[in-house]
Amino acid sequence: MKQSLITVHAVVLGLVAGLINKRIEDTNKRIDDLNRRLDRIEDGIREIRQLLYKFLEVPQRSGN
């Protein structure tokens, strides 16, 4: 009886550990997706900033 109880606990712990690992993997995938999206947003902001600088550039006067 005691041996079967230990076996049941071991199986339950194994299942719980598997579920926790799966959740960790899913969370890591979501973090990776968010990082990729953030990189794209940052690239877009960089492009917008460059366009704004070009648009707002004041032409320099000639020396005459």
Side-chain angles (χ1 to χ4, degrees):
M1 178 73 173
K2 192 173 185 179
Q3 184 64 31
S4 63
L5 203 58
I6 292 171
T7 303
V8 168
H9 281 121
V11 169
V12 170
L13 285 174
L15 291 172
V16 170
L19 290 173
I20 290 172
N21 283 334
K22 176 70 173 137
R23 294 286 291 197
I24 290 170
E25 288 174 6
D26 291 345
T27 301
N28 285 337
K29 286 178 185 177
R30 281 190 222 126
I31 290 170
D32 289 342
D33 289 343
L34 288 172
N35 282 333
R36 280 192 291 278
R37 289 179 189 169
L38 182 59
D39 286 343
R40 280 187 248 141
I41 290 170
E42 288 174 343
D43 290 343
I45 291 171
R46 203 172 294 118
E47 288 177 29
I48 291 169
R49 185 180 294 141
Q50 289 173 349
L51 289 172
L52 281 173
Y53 283 138
K54 285 181 182 180
F55 179 76
L56 297 175
E57 270 183 1
V58 177
Q60 295 193 1
R61 293 183 177 181
S62 61
N64 296 342

